[in-house]
Amino acid sequence: MPAPAATKFQGKEPAIQSMHANSPSDSSTAAKPVRPIAAILGLTVFAHGLLIPWLGFYWDDMPKSWFLHLLGPMGFWKVYQVDRPFLPWIYMLTTPVIGESPLGWQLLELLARGITAVGLWWVVCLIWPRRRGLALLTGLFFVVYPGFLQGPISLIYSHYFLLYALFLASLGCSVKALRNPARRGLWTGAAITALTLVLFSFEYLVGLELVRPLVIGLVLRQSGLRGRRLLTRTVRLWAPYAVVFIVYLLWRSLVVQFPTYEPELFVGLAVAPVAKLGGLLTRVGVDLYLGSIGSWLNALRPPDLSIVGRAGLAVMGLAGAGALAVVLWGLLPYRTPSARSADGDPRADLAEAAALGGWSLIVAGMPVWTTLLPLRLVFPWDRLTLPFMLGASLLAAAGLLLLLRDRLAGIGVAAILLSLGAAFHASNAMAFVRDWDRYTSFISQLTERVPGLEPGTSLLMDDIPLTYSTDNSLTAPVNWAYAPNLKSTHMPYLVVSIPMRLGGSLTS
């Protein structure tokens, strides 16, 4: 880097200020991160934590908890050896502590989600140190992002959110490396280590690595670099991460390959490239809409009273009211950016944030579009919105601040939207509560009515009376109930859904 730019860039880390300079309350908030962190964690509790004591295990949680019971923590190396051979390292940290308790896993998922939202707040603070209000709004929107509704499947997604938080930590460390040249090696090493753990453990976030070069470029641009020098420096600084990224792609494609979901996109392009490419462009547009605007609109639909009930409406009201209070308490110290202020052009920063959010949405879809899995806002396909959460939250926060320049109007609209989002998640949690009640009734009635089920039996079911479980899911608790002291890995019982399996594994 030429000397003038280096001199400009290598000073101390810029003082982190709020959205407006010259505001005592803003300066106080900027100096003390306790308030925004508390607001994010408080919103997390109201949106996702009120019904935790009544939630249980669902979907893949059921076999995973049974594997833990049967094989112990080390058994996960065998469980995941086919498709995610490095993922068990994180199970080694959590399962010995939490064990088989649904309550413990629900609490860990709540904590992991809150930590991830705080991590996103921290990253946005690092990229735009003077836009703390933008950072807080982004973290708050992440908490209530309504596209992903499988949080109560806590044993699985507590680990995924922890990995999400680790990816954000990697991104933050990259920015810290740029802000602190004296310790660049230390921060870069930490960033690369975290990235390696995430990529080789969890393929959902692989596309988000392409956010990093844009982040590096934005930070370098703040130091005065432009044009070719900016591009060259960005490529050089991203190069170590690019090596990890490419090695992962080669490892996944050539070594582990695709034992669960095939790369259908490449297969289709080889057969009919024009038709497949045209369909892909349509698919990308629809998925980007569902992962962003469509998700937020989804939260505005009225709750199903047959599922929620009166108790659920009360919980929704409590979640919404609590969220409203927490959000107002967190946002009131901040001001909406004006056209110009002493700390630069806020609207230019917000435009950068919106652009970064849009780019994050585009690259987030890489795993979805490579496999051509159907992204939907219903179970089980809403899980594919996980990588879209970052971009959708940043874009929503930046867009809101760009559109609403009046301070009170901006805070009011944000508080109402976040309150509605919290109530929406409370409604969603009530559906999981009802499903857990049906599950416990199902297992209880089955074992009481058929107490002597012989080993080697398959239970053929025409209709599974559960929303968040399949026959594969139920196979685990049925084996656990009838063979609690099983020592073998040979399953004595199998649950088979006739509509799902007829013509496949159920041949006739």
Side-chain angles (χ1 to χ4, degrees):
M1 183 183 296
T7 302
K8 193 172 185 179
F9 188 74
Q10 290 179 0
K12 294 182 179 179
E13 184 173 351
I16 296 179
Q17 301 173 15
S18 64
M19 297 171 65
H20 248 333
N22 308 321
S23 171
S25 61
D26 289 355
S27 299
S28 175
T29 303
K32 299 178 181 178
V34 174
R35 191 185 193 100
I37 292 175
I40 291 172
L41 296 180
L43 180 62
T44 305
V45 171
F46 280 109
H48 304 284
L50 297 181
L51 291 171
I52 276 181
W54 297 275
L55 294 169
F57 283 141
Y58 311 90
W59 201 38
D60 285 354
D61 279 359
M62 293 181 176
K64 296 301 187 294
S65 60
W66 184 54
F67 296 154
L68 177 61
H69 174 79
L70 182 65
L71 305 172
M74 293 299 297
F76 285 99
W77 292 105
K78 181 179 294 186
V79 169
Y80 282 110
Q81 66 182 350
V82 173
D83 58 348
R84 291 171 180 159
F86 288 106
L87 180 59
W89 72 266
I90 195 168
Y91 281 82
M92 299 299 99
L93 300 177
T94 59
T95 53
V97 177
I98 299 176
E100 302 167 9
S101 165
L103 177 61
W105 288 110
Q106 294 292 341
L107 290 173
L108 179 62
E109 195 277 341
L110 183 73
L111 178 63
R113 187 189 291 261
I115 289 174
T116 308
V118 170
L120 181 55
W121 164 82
W122 177 63
V123 170
V124 177
C125 282
L126 290 175
I127 300 173
W128 297 282
R130 297 182 295 251
R131 310 297 164 223
R132 301 279 289 201
L134 169 68
L136 176 55
L137 260 186
T138 303
L140 293 173
F141 275 123
F142 186 93
V143 169
V144 301
Y145 173 77
F148 177 71
L149 299 173
Q150 296 187 34
I153 306 176
S154 56
L155 196 157
I156 299 297
Y157 290 109
S158 58
H159 295 100
Y160 291 175
F161 273 115
L162 288 173
L163 290 169
Y164 215 138
L166 189 59
F167 172 78
L168 291 170
S170 171
L171 204 58
C173 287
S174 292
V175 180
K176 293 288 284 186
L178 297 173
R179 301 283 191 201
N180 296 271
R183 297 184 178 179
R184 180 168 295 170
L186 179 64
W187 286 113
T188 301
I192 292 175
T193 300
L195 174 65
T196 304
L197 288 172
V198 172
L199 288 186
F200 284 84
S201 301
F202 184 43
E203 69 278 2
Y204 275 43
L205 304 181
V206 61
L208 291 181
E209 173 52 28
L210 297 179
V211 171
R212 194 185 309 266
L214 191 56
V215 168
I216 292 173
L218 286 173
V219 176
L220 291 177
R221 194 172 185 275
Q222 294 171 9
S223 73
L225 288 181
R226 295 291 187 274
R228 186 174 179 179
R229 290 168 56 207
L230 173 61
L231 179 61
T232 302
R233 185 67 173 162
T234 299
V235 171
R236 286 178 57 193
L237 289 172
W238 185 57
Y241 307 97
V243 170
V244 176
F245 182 65
I246 293 170
V247 169
Y248 165 77
L249 292 178
L250 293 173
W251 171 79
R252 185 74 201 189
S253 302
L254 303 178
V255 179
V256 177
Q257 299 182 342
F258 304 93
T260 306
Y261 297 112
E262 293 288 335
E264 297 291 343
L265 173 62
F266 300 125
V267 175
L269 287 174
V271 176
V274 176
K276 184 60 67 174
L277 186 59
L280 175 65
L281 293 176
T282 302
R283 165 75 185 277
V284 168
V286 172
D287 287 353
L288 288 175
Y289 169 78
L290 291 176
S292 54
I293 298 173
S295 294
W296 300 116
L297 293 178
N298 190 44
L300 300 179
R301 57 189 175 89
D304 187 339
L305 296 180
S306 64
I307 297 177
V308 175
R310 292 183 178 179
L313 286 176
V315 175
M316 289 178 63
L318 178 59
L324 186 66
V326 167
V327 169
L328 288 174
W329 174 78
L331 289 177
L332 278 175
Y334 295 97
R335 295 181 181 274
T336 304
S338 59
R340 290 276 179 184
S341 66
D343 56 351
D345 186 353
R347 300 184 70 78
D349 291 345
L350 294 177
E352 288 181 352
L356 182 61
W359 175 247
S360 301
L361 285 172
I362 293 172
V363 298
M366 279 182 55
V368 179
W369 302 322
T370 301
T371 56
L372 296 183
L373 292 174
L375 189 152
R376 300 288 184 270
L377 300 181
V378 294
F379 179 84
W381 300 111
D382 60 297
R383 71 185 189 273
L384 299 178
T385 64
L386 261 175
F388 291 86
M389 293 177 69
L390 189 160
S393 303
L394 183 57
L395 188 59
L400 182 66
L401 291 175
L402 281 169
L403 291 173
L404 298 174
R405 299 175 64 178
D406 180 78
R407 174 178 178 265
L408 292 180
I411 291 175
V413 171
I416 292 172
L417 292 175
L418 292 164
S419 175
L420 290 174
F424 177 72
H425 280 288
S427 171
N428 177 65
M430 180 57 72
F432 279 88
V433 169
R434 304 287 190 206
D435 212 56
W436 179 246
D437 291 341
R438 288 194 294 269
Y439 160 76
T440 54
S441 175
F442 169 78
I443 292 295
S444 175
Q445 290 194 47
L446 178 65
T447 53
E448 289 178 8
R449 293 168 187 250
V450 193
L453 193 65
E454 294 186 8
T457 299
S458 290
L459 300 177
L460 301 180
M461 302 183 65
D462 184 56
D463 179 41
I464 295 177
L466 302 171
T467 303
Y468 303 110
S469 296
T470 65
D471 51 357
N472 286 340
S473 307
L474 289 176
T475 291
V478 167
N479 277 276
W480 199 340
Y482 283 103
N485 299 316
L486 184 68
K487 301 300 181 184
S488 168
T489 55
H490 176 76
M491 293 189 300
Y493 307 98
L494 188 66
V495 178
V496 180
S497 167
I498 297 173
M500 291 179 64
R501 310 301 174 186
L502 189 60
S505 57
L506 186 63
T507 55
S508 64

